[in-house]
Amino acid sequence: QTYIPPKSRHSGVLQAMGHLMAGRLTDLTLWTYSASFAKVLGFFVLFYLLNIFLWAAVMDAVDLASGGKCIHEEPEGLRTSERYEFVFELSWATFTTVGY
């Protein structure tokens, strides 16, 4: 016998993030059907931007660990915010043109 729980009346973006973090992709997919278009759009825009910031940080860490010459020509003369700006632009261009 299969138990189907009743629909939650609160299908917010935080609930979608909870499904995603818990690895429940089926629940996340079902959430997209029950939530409003604005909430689904907001979730995916937030997820997209978080991925861009996350991978920019990963690329910056890898660049620094490899000597800092892969992305920047002279990393010694750059402040942290300037260096992060370059990897953010690279991450943005990668996710925008290739997708995730």
Side-chain angles (χ1 to χ4, degrees):
Q1 183 177 13
T2 304
Y3 171 72
I4 300 174
K7 277 188 167 183
S8 173
R9 296 186 186 267
H10 307 288
S11 57
V13 175
L14 291 178
Q15 183 183 9
M17 289 300 241
H19 291 320
L20 183 66
M21 293 300 179
R24 297 186 311 232
L25 294 179
T26 304
D27 291 337
L28 179 63
T29 304
L30 293 175
W31 174 83
T32 60
Y33 293 121
S34 64
S36 68
F37 177 75
K39 288 180 183 178
V40 173
L41 181 67
F43 168 73
F44 281 111
V45 166
L46 182 66
F47 182 70
Y48 178 71
L49 290 175
L50 286 175
N51 265 314
I52 290 172
F53 278 103
L54 173 75
W55 287 106
V58 168
M59 284 191 281
D60 192 34
V62 169
D63 186 46
L64 287 176
S66 65
K69 302 271 186 200
C70 294
I71 297 176
H72 315 98
E73 294 177 9
E74 296 181 27
E76 293 83 20
L78 295 175
R79 295 189 319 253
T80 304
S81 61
E82 292 172 332
R83 193 177 65 240
Y84 192 78
E85 180 182 350
F86 286 126
V87 293
F88 180 84
E89 290 174 5
L90 178 61
S91 179
W92 177 270
T94 303
F95 274 97
T96 303
T97 56
V98 178
Y100 56 92

